[in-house]
Amino acid sequence: MSVYQKLSPYLFRFDAERLHCLAEWTLKHFVPLPLVQDCVVSQHCVFDESLHIQVAGMNFYNPVGLAAGFDKNATMIKGLSALGFGFLEIGTITQNPQEGNAKPRLFRYEEEKSLQNAMGFNNDGSSKVAARLKGLYPYSIPLGINVGKNKVIAQSDSLKNYENVLLDCLEVGDYFVFNLSSPNTPKLRELQNVTFVQELFEMARSHTNKPLFLKISPDMKKDEMLKLVEMSIKSGASGLIATNTTIDYSLIAGAKDFGGISGGALKEKSKEVLKILSEAFFGKIAIISVGGIDNAQEVYERLRLGASLVQVYSGLVFRGPRLCREINEGLLELLKQDGFSTIADIIGYDITHQPKRRGRKPKNIQPEVREVVAAPKKRGRKPKSAMSTESISSQVVQKDSTSKVRNTKTKQDRSVNVQANNEIAQAPIPTKEEPSSNILEDDKSVSSLPKDVQKDSKE
């Protein structure tokens, strides 16, 4: 157990948002000090080429990133980079500054290792955040900007609101995420429709060739989600972030009836969404999985299920600042145990190597026909009729309660049965057809991602 975990019972006595502000001050003012930063890097960062991965044209020295919501205003970039993250995502950023929802708006559930937040996109506004980032750009690791909509903006003006944030931050972001799925801005999730998504990505593609991601809700119906993602791909999306927080309050006993739930309670729901998306779109679009991730085994499973990268948030709160190191060291061990060389080797492995299902015959394949030999006659016993796959019907004689009915079988009936059996025995045996190629397909390659990932010049 780490020092942080030993102290957490005492730390968690403080209000969740107040404790977050303390963490922000530490990462902003203390960790970036020259000698301190070097010490923190040596204790938290893992440098190994086996962890390198390239996604959407960007190089990552490990697949573990920080989800949006932790650093809303880009004030902790240097401190967070020293904790071993492979990439960071800031925001959500809106065009105009806003204070967010009323406090209290952040709650911990220690038993479930979960958080519930109703923050409401509190941030300094896109102009101020962009100016802050210009002094840091380019970064030592990829940095994404999560783009949102102001609460007071009418639905009809949403597209322009997103566009203004994108234009303000265009020069200081390595990738951009459009957030249409937060439950904390009224009517925001109504924008999760194919028409708006098409307009949104076509607008963004008219301004930039940088990677664009769509962050989706875990509460969407499967068919609606698949249609939405399909449209985002057609309109220029580079990837998906699955998922945002959930409004399924039944996941935690005593949960508030507002805000979104993240962390351990969201784990299975998030993983199920990842599986659905990977089975439908693996190889067509990159997927970043987030929700309930706090250990190496969970990251390993998400990568095998088709995620190219993962993000953490609640796990960092409950496990502490050594989380990235623990995950990355664990990933190296798991790769070694399973005989893989790099992270790229396992991306989507469980999707492209799904075991064949048993108990069901493939369609359009004729079953094997075995040779049928007529049974020898035995006095006093009825010869057993053999069935073939040629749909030859044998006469079924119902049993009667008395032996008199059985003994009244005519000689003509017996001769018909013998003749049918002889015809079956003499019939040519058809050869077994090869399986149709549209039924049993060859396994696809594990991943289309390149294995050789170039190191970042500032690692």
Side-chain angles (χ1 to χ4, degrees):
M1 181 180 293
S2 66
V3 174
Y4 177 87
Q5 290 173 310
K6 291 178 180 178
L7 293 175
S8 59
Y10 305 100
L11 295 174
F12 289 169
R13 293 178 182 178
F14 292 93
D15 172 76
E17 189 169 354
R18 182 174 296 181
L19 189 60
H20 180 83
C21 292
L22 176 61
E24 180 181 10
W25 185 92
T26 304
L27 290 165
K28 179 181 178 180
H29 298 288
F30 181 69
V31 175
L33 296 175
L35 295 178
V36 177
Q37 188 174 43
D38 291 344
C39 179
V40 173
V41 168
S42 67
Q43 294 297 315
H44 295 84
C45 296
V46 177
F47 301 101
D48 193 296
E49 291 187 3
S50 297
L51 297 174
H52 291 192
I53 187 73
Q54 187 179 73
V55 180
M58 299 178 289
N59 295 321
F60 301 83
Y61 85 98
N62 74 66
V64 184
L66 179 67
F70 192 91
D71 189 1
K72 292 181 176 292
N73 293 305
T75 59
M76 301 177 256
I77 303 298
K78 290 184 177 180
L80 289 169
S81 298
L83 295 185
F85 289 103
F87 63 107
L88 303 174
E89 187 174 313
I90 66 163
T92 298
I93 306 299
T94 58
Q95 180 184 357
N96 300 317
Q98 59 184 35
E99 295 182 357
N101 297 323
K103 300 179 182 181
R105 53 191 181 182
L106 182 61
F107 311 92
R108 284 186 298 260
Y109 300 94
E110 296 180 46
E111 185 175 344
E112 293 84 0
K113 298 292 186 290
S114 297
L115 298 174
Q116 185 171 5
N117 90 84
M119 304 300 289
F121 291 171
N122 53 307
N123 72 103
D124 293 338
S126 55
S127 296
K128 189 171 183 178
V129 171
R132 186 175 292 137
L133 287 172
K134 285 181 180 178
L136 300 173
Y137 193 85
Y139 320 107
S140 59
I141 55 177
L143 185 139
I145 297 178
N146 192 289
V147 181
K149 166 187 172 295
N150 279 110
K151 181 178 180 179
V152 298
I153 296 296
Q155 294 292 86
S156 58
D157 296 326
S158 298
L159 184 63
K160 187 63 178 177
N161 199 230
Y162 278 100
E163 183 178 20
N164 290 338
V165 179
L166 177 65
L167 293 176
D168 283 343
C169 300
L170 202 56
E171 296 180 359
V172 292
D174 293 314
Y175 71 89
F176 299 91
V177 181
F178 293 114
N179 188 346
L180 311 180
S181 51
S182 171
N184 300 322
T185 296
K187 298 183 179 181
L188 184 69
R189 287 190 172 188
E190 293 180 5
L191 298 178
Q192 290 185 125
N193 62 78
V194 292
T195 300
F196 185 78
V197 164
Q198 180 180 10
E199 294 175 347
L200 182 64
F201 280 94
E202 287 178 352
M203 172 276 294
R205 276 288 165 240
S206 70
H207 295 299
T208 183
N209 290 321
K210 289 184 177 182
L212 303 174
F213 287 74
L214 175 66
K215 189 164 188 175
I216 61 175
S217 163
D219 303 314
M220 295 186 71
K221 294 181 180 179
K222 179 180 177 180
D223 291 343
E224 293 178 358
M225 178 174 64
L226 293 178
K227 290 178 182 178
L228 193 74
V229 172
E230 185 175 6
M231 179 54 73
S232 71
I233 295 174
K234 291 179 180 179
S235 304
S238 310
L240 307 170
I241 297 186
T243 64
N244 212 318
T245 57
T246 179
I247 56 173
D248 183 359
Y249 304 130
S250 66
L251 295 175
I252 295 179
K256 310 296 181 183
D257 59 356
F258 58 90
I261 294 173
S262 63
L266 180 59
K267 179 183 296 185
E268 295 305 319
K269 201 166 190 174
S270 173
K271 193 184 298 186
E272 181 60 27
V273 171
L274 169 62
K275 187 175 181 182
I276 292 171
L277 294 174
S278 292
E279 289 177 346
F281 302 110
F282 180 73
K284 299 178 181 179
I285 194 167
I287 304 175
I288 300 177
S289 184
V290 55
I293 297 173
D294 63 357
N295 60 75
Q297 183 63 47
E298 188 65 29
V299 173
Y300 196 68
E301 290 179 16
R302 303 288 179 108
L303 297 178
R304 290 179 65 117
L305 278 174
S308 300
L309 303 165
V310 300
Q311 289 179 330
V312 299
Y313 184 147
S314 301
L316 181 65
V317 173
F318 290 101
R319 295 292 299 274
R322 288 183 61 85
L323 178 62
C324 287
R325 184 178 187 90
E326 292 170 358
I327 289 177
N328 286 314
E329 288 180 341
L331 286 176
L332 292 173
E333 288 296 323
L334 290 168
L335 287 173
K336 184 178 180 181
Q337 289 176 16
D338 289 348
F340 294 106
S341 299
T342 69
I343 286 294
D345 295 336
I346 67 169
I347 304 299
Y349 190 89
D350 290 348
I351 299 299
T352 58
H353 292 74
Q354 289 185 2
K356 298 176 182 178
R357 296 182 180 179
R358 297 181 178 180
R360 293 184 180 180
K361 293 182 179 180
K363 297 180 181 178
N364 301 332
I365 299 179
Q366 294 185 0
E368 180 181 2
V369 180
R370 298 180 180 178
E371 183 179 1
V372 180
V373 180
K377 290 184 180 179
K378 293 184 180 180
R379 294 183 179 179
R381 293 186 180 181
K382 175 185 172 182
K384 296 180 180 179
S385 60
M387 298 295 295
S388 77
T389 58
E390 302 283 345
S391 301
I392 299 178
S393 304
S394 63
Q395 185 178 3
V396 180
V397 180
Q398 296 182 347
K399 294 184 179 180
D400 194 87
S401 59
T402 65
S403 61
K404 181 178 179 180
V405 176
R406 289 195 299 268
N407 293 330
T408 59
K409 189 174 184 68
T410 65
K411 294 181 179 180
Q412 184 178 359
D413 293 332
R414 295 193 186 98
S415 64
V416 170
N417 286 338
V418 172
Q419 183 179 357
N421 288 333
N422 290 335
E423 290 177 356
I424 296 169
Q426 295 172 3
I429 306 303
T431 58
K432 183 179 178 181
E433 294 184 4
E434 290 299 322
S436 174
S437 61
N438 67 331
I439 301 300
L440 299 177
E441 297 182 353
D442 293 336
D443 289 335
K444 299 178 181 178
S445 61
V446 174
S447 175
S448 60
L449 296 172
K451 299 181 181 180
D452 299 327
V453 183
Q454 299 179 359
K455 295 183 180 179
D456 193 288
S457 61
K458 293 192 177 183
E459 285 180 358

PDB file of all heavy atoms in Angstrom, residues 272-290:
ATOM      1  N   GLU A 272     -18.567  -2.769 -21.819  1.00  0.00           N
ATOM      2  CA  GLU A 272     -19.553  -3.318 -22.755  1.00  0.00           C
ATOM      3  C   GLU A 272     -19.700  -2.414 -23.977  1.00  0.00           C
ATOM      4  O   GLU A 272     -19.803  -2.890 -25.114  1.00  0.00           O
ATOM      5  CB  GLU A 272     -20.905  -3.476 -22.056  1.00  0.00           C
ATOM      6  CG  GLU A 272     -21.999  -4.060 -22.933  1.00  0.00           C
ATOM      7  CD  GLU A 272     -21.678  -5.445 -23.462  1.00  0.00           C
ATOM      8  OE1 GLU A 272     -20.909  -6.176 -22.803  1.00  0.00           O
ATOM      9  OE2 GLU A 272     -22.208  -5.808 -24.531  1.00  0.00           O
ATOM     10  N   VAL A 273     -19.705  -1.092 -23.758  1.00  0.00           N
ATOM     11  CA  VAL A 273     -19.772  -0.153 -24.881  1.00  0.00           C
ATOM     12  C   VAL A 273     -18.535  -0.309 -25.770  1.00  0.00           C
ATOM     13  O   VAL A 273     -18.636  -0.308 -27.005  1.00  0.00           O
ATOM     14  CB  VAL A 273     -19.894   1.296 -24.377  1.00  0.00           C
ATOM     15  CG1 VAL A 273     -19.736   2.283 -25.534  1.00  0.00           C
ATOM     16  CG2 VAL A 273     -21.235   1.513 -23.693  1.00  0.00           C
ATOM     17  N   LEU A 274     -17.373  -0.461 -25.168  1.00  0.00           N
ATOM     18  CA  LEU A 274     -16.141  -0.663 -25.927  1.00  0.00           C
ATOM     19  C   LEU A 274     -16.248  -1.903 -26.803  1.00  0.00           C
ATOM     20  O   LEU A 274     -15.872  -1.876 -27.989  1.00  0.00           O
ATOM     21  CB  LEU A 274     -14.953  -0.802 -24.969  1.00  0.00           C
ATOM     22  CG  LEU A 274     -13.628  -1.272 -25.600  1.00  0.00           C
ATOM     23  CD1 LEU A 274     -13.135  -0.268 -26.633  1.00  0.00           C
ATOM     24  CD2 LEU A 274     -12.580  -1.503 -24.516  1.00  0.00           C
ATOM     25  N   LYS A 275     -16.762  -2.977 -26.252  1.00  0.00           N
ATOM     26  CA  LYS A 275     -16.887  -4.218 -27.015  1.00  0.00           C
ATOM     27  C   LYS A 275     -17.822  -4.045 -28.208  1.00  0.00           C
ATOM     28  O   LYS A 275     -17.536  -4.498 -29.313  1.00  0.00           O
ATOM     29  CB  LYS A 275     -17.388  -5.334 -26.102  1.00  0.00           C
ATOM     30  CG  LYS A 275     -17.401  -6.705 -26.762  1.00  0.00           C
ATOM     31  CD  LYS A 275     -17.796  -7.786 -25.774  1.00  0.00           C
ATOM     32  CE  LYS A 275     -17.781  -9.158 -26.443  1.00  0.00           C
ATOM     33  NZ  LYS A 275     -18.201 -10.219 -25.495  1.00  0.00           N
ATOM     34  N   ILE A 276     -18.943  -3.372 -27.987  1.00  0.00           N
ATOM     35  CA  ILE A 276     -19.911  -3.134 -29.076  1.00  0.00           C
ATOM     36  C   ILE A 276     -19.265  -2.314 -30.190  1.00  0.00           C
ATOM     37  O   ILE A 276     -19.389  -2.640 -31.379  1.00  0.00           O
ATOM     38  CB  ILE A 276     -21.159  -2.414 -28.534  1.00  0.00           C
ATOM     39  CG1 ILE A 276     -21.953  -3.341 -27.613  1.00  0.00           C
ATOM     40  CG2 ILE A 276     -22.041  -1.918 -29.676  1.00  0.00           C
ATOM     41  CD1 ILE A 276     -23.077  -2.651 -26.863  1.00  0.00           C
ATOM     42  N   LEU A 277     -18.569  -1.245 -29.803  1.00  0.00           N
ATOM     43  CA  LEU A 277     -17.939  -0.377 -30.798  1.00  0.00           C
ATOM     44  C   LEU A 277     -16.815  -1.088 -31.539  1.00  0.00           C
ATOM     45  O   LEU A 277     -16.660  -0.922 -32.756  1.00  0.00           O
ATOM     46  CB  LEU A 277     -17.411   0.881 -30.119  1.00  0.00           C
ATOM     47  CG  LEU A 277     -18.466   1.831 -29.533  1.00  0.00           C
ATOM     48  CD1 LEU A 277     -17.798   2.961 -28.758  1.00  0.00           C
ATOM     49  CD2 LEU A 277     -19.360   2.391 -30.632  1.00  0.00           C
ATOM     50  N   SER A 278     -16.036  -1.876 -30.826  1.00  0.00           N
ATOM     51  CA  SER A 278     -14.922  -2.584 -31.466  1.00  0.00           C
ATOM     52  C   SER A 278     -15.415  -3.629 -32.461  1.00  0.00           C
ATOM     53  O   SER A 278     -14.857  -3.785 -33.553  1.00  0.00           O
ATOM     54  CB  SER A 278     -14.037  -3.247 -30.405  1.00  0.00           C
ATOM     55  OG  SER A 278     -13.364  -2.285 -29.629  1.00  0.00           O
ATOM     56  N   GLU A 279     -16.456  -4.361 -32.084  1.00  0.00           N
ATOM     57  CA  GLU A 279     -16.988  -5.378 -32.986  1.00  0.00           C
ATOM     58  C   GLU A 279     -17.540  -4.754 -34.267  1.00  0.00           C
ATOM     59  O   GLU A 279     -17.539  -5.385 -35.323  1.00  0.00           O
ATOM     60  CB  GLU A 279     -18.069  -6.187 -32.273  1.00  0.00           C
ATOM     61  CG  GLU A 279     -17.510  -7.115 -31.197  1.00  0.00           C
ATOM     62  CD  GLU A 279     -18.591  -7.854 -30.441  1.00  0.00           C
ATOM     63  OE1 GLU A 279     -19.779  -7.465 -30.558  1.00  0.00           O
ATOM     64  OE2 GLU A 279     -18.262  -8.829 -29.735  1.00  0.00           O
ATOM     65  N   ALA A 280     -18.005  -3.524 -34.165  1.00  0.00           N
ATOM     66  CA  ALA A 280     -18.586  -2.858 -35.340  1.00  0.00           C
ATOM     67  C   ALA A 280     -17.564  -2.043 -36.136  1.00  0.00           C
ATOM     68  O   ALA A 280     -17.649  -1.989 -37.365  1.00  0.00           O
ATOM     69  CB  ALA A 280     -19.734  -1.953 -34.898  1.00  0.00           C
ATOM     70  N   PHE A 281     -16.578  -1.441 -35.445  1.00  0.00           N
ATOM     71  CA  PHE A 281     -15.739  -0.446 -36.125  1.00  0.00           C
ATOM     72  C   PHE A 281     -14.242  -0.647 -35.952  1.00  0.00           C
ATOM     73  O   PHE A 281     -13.474   0.216 -36.351  1.00  0.00           O
ATOM     74  CB  PHE A 281     -16.111   0.961 -35.635  1.00  0.00           C
ATOM     75  CG  PHE A 281     -17.547   1.316 -35.848  1.00  0.00           C
ATOM     76  CD1 PHE A 281     -18.425   1.427 -34.771  1.00  0.00           C
ATOM     77  CD2 PHE A 281     -18.054   1.531 -37.121  1.00  0.00           C
ATOM     78  CE1 PHE A 281     -19.755   1.753 -34.950  1.00  0.00           C
ATOM     79  CE2 PHE A 281     -19.385   1.858 -37.315  1.00  0.00           C
ATOM     80  CZ  PHE A 281     -20.240   1.968 -36.230  1.00  0.00           C
ATOM     81  N   PHE A 282     -13.802  -1.750 -35.364  1.00  0.00           N
ATOM     82  CA  PHE A 282     -12.366  -1.930 -35.151  1.00  0.00           C
ATOM     83  C   PHE A 282     -11.641  -1.901 -36.505  1.00  0.00           C
ATOM     84  O   PHE A 282     -12.039  -2.553 -37.462  1.00  0.00           O
ATOM     85  CB  PHE A 282     -12.063  -3.250 -34.447  1.00  0.00           C
ATOM     86  CG  PHE A 282     -10.589  -3.461 -34.211  1.00  0.00           C
ATOM     87  CD1 PHE A 282      -9.926  -2.730 -33.244  1.00  0.00           C
ATOM     88  CD2 PHE A 282      -9.870  -4.369 -34.973  1.00  0.00           C
ATOM     89  CE1 PHE A 282      -8.570  -2.905 -33.030  1.00  0.00           C
ATOM     90  CE2 PHE A 282      -8.513  -4.549 -34.768  1.00  0.00           C
ATOM     91  CZ  PHE A 282      -7.866  -3.810 -33.792  1.00  0.00           C
ATOM     92  N   GLY A 283     -10.562  -1.129 -36.558  1.00  0.00           N
ATOM     93  CA  GLY A 283      -9.814  -0.970 -37.791  1.00  0.00           C
ATOM     94  C   GLY A 283     -10.275   0.198 -38.630  1.00  0.00           C
ATOM     95  O   GLY A 283      -9.578   0.610 -39.562  1.00  0.00           O
ATOM     96  N   LYS A 284     -11.453   0.749 -38.309  1.00  0.00           N
ATOM     97  CA  LYS A 284     -11.986   1.883 -39.061  1.00  0.00           C
ATOM     98  C   LYS A 284     -11.777   3.202 -38.325  1.00  0.00           C
ATOM     99  O   LYS A 284     -11.750   4.262 -38.948  1.00  0.00           O
ATOM    100  CB  LYS A 284     -13.480   1.694 -39.325  1.00  0.00           C
ATOM    101  CG  LYS A 284     -13.809   0.461 -40.156  1.00  0.00           C
ATOM    102  CD  LYS A 284     -15.321   0.323 -40.339  1.00  0.00           C
ATOM    103  CE  LYS A 284     -15.665  -0.921 -41.140  1.00  0.00           C
ATOM    104  NZ  LYS A 284     -17.135  -1.075 -41.305  1.00  0.00           N
ATOM    105  N   ILE A 285     -11.673   3.126 -36.996  1.00  0.00           N
ATOM    106  CA  ILE A 285     -11.552   4.338 -36.190  1.00  0.00           C
ATOM    107  C   ILE A 285     -10.865   3.985 -34.874  1.00  0.00           C
ATOM    108  O   ILE A 285     -11.013   2.870 -34.359  1.00  0.00           O
ATOM    109  CB  ILE A 285     -12.949   4.951 -35.918  1.00  0.00           C
ATOM    110  CG1 ILE A 285     -12.839   6.377 -35.372  1.00  0.00           C
ATOM    111  CG2 ILE A 285     -13.786   4.066 -35.022  1.00  0.00           C
ATOM    112  CD1 ILE A 285     -14.170   7.126 -35.377  1.00  0.00           C
ATOM    113  N   ALA A 286     -10.064   4.908 -34.355  1.00  0.00           N
ATOM    114  CA  ALA A 286      -9.378   4.681 -33.080  1.00  0.00           C
ATOM    115  C   ALA A 286     -10.356   4.854 -31.923  1.00  0.00           C
ATOM    116  O   ALA A 286     -11.272   5.667 -31.985  1.00  0.00           O
ATOM    117  CB  ALA A 286      -8.216   5.659 -32.934  1.00  0.00           C
ATOM    118  N   ILE A 287     -10.145   4.066 -30.859  1.00  0.00           N
ATOM    119  CA  ILE A 287     -11.012   4.149 -29.687  1.00  0.00           C
ATOM    120  C   ILE A 287     -10.158   4.346 -28.440  1.00  0.00           C
ATOM    121  O   ILE A 287      -9.199   3.607 -28.206  1.00  0.00           O
ATOM    122  CB  ILE A 287     -11.862   2.872 -29.515  1.00  0.00           C
ATOM    123  CG1 ILE A 287     -12.685   2.604 -30.779  1.00  0.00           C
ATOM    124  CG2 ILE A 287     -12.780   3.008 -28.299  1.00  0.00           C
ATOM    125  CD1 ILE A 287     -13.465   1.304 -30.727  1.00  0.00           C
ATOM    126  N   ILE A 288     -10.520   5.361 -27.650  1.00  0.00           N
ATOM    127  CA  ILE A 288      -9.912   5.577 -26.333  1.00  0.00           C
ATOM    128  C   ILE A 288     -10.944   5.157 -25.299  1.00  0.00           C
ATOM    129  O   ILE A 288     -12.051   5.692 -25.263  1.00  0.00           O
ATOM    130  CB  ILE A 288      -9.513   7.045 -26.129  1.00  0.00           C
ATOM    131  CG1 ILE A 288      -8.506   7.484 -27.197  1.00  0.00           C
ATOM    132  CG2 ILE A 288      -8.921   7.252 -24.739  1.00  0.00           C
ATOM    133  CD1 ILE A 288      -8.122   8.956 -27.116  1.00  0.00           C
ATOM    134  N   SER A 289     -10.589   4.192 -24.468  1.00  0.00           N
ATOM    135  CA  SER A 289     -11.534   3.673 -23.477  1.00  0.00           C
ATOM    136  C   SER A 289     -11.315   4.344 -22.131  1.00  0.00           C
ATOM    137  O   SER A 289     -10.177   4.501 -21.672  1.00  0.00           O
ATOM    138  CB  SER A 289     -11.370   2.162 -23.326  1.00  0.00           C
ATOM    139  OG  SER A 289     -12.339   1.628 -22.439  1.00  0.00           O
ATOM    140  N   VAL A 290     -12.402   4.745 -21.486  1.00  0.00           N
ATOM    141  CA  VAL A 290     -12.329   5.387 -20.173  1.00  0.00           C
ATOM    142  C   VAL A 290     -13.566   4.986 -19.370  1.00  0.00           C
ATOM    143  O   VAL A 290     -14.655   4.845 -19.913  1.00  0.00           O
ATOM    144  CB  VAL A 290     -12.225   6.926 -20.317  1.00  0.00           C
ATOM    145  CG1 VAL A 290     -13.370   7.473 -21.155  1.00  0.00           C
ATOM    146  CG2 VAL A 290     -12.174   7.618 -18.971  1.00  0.00           C
TER     147      VAL A 290
END
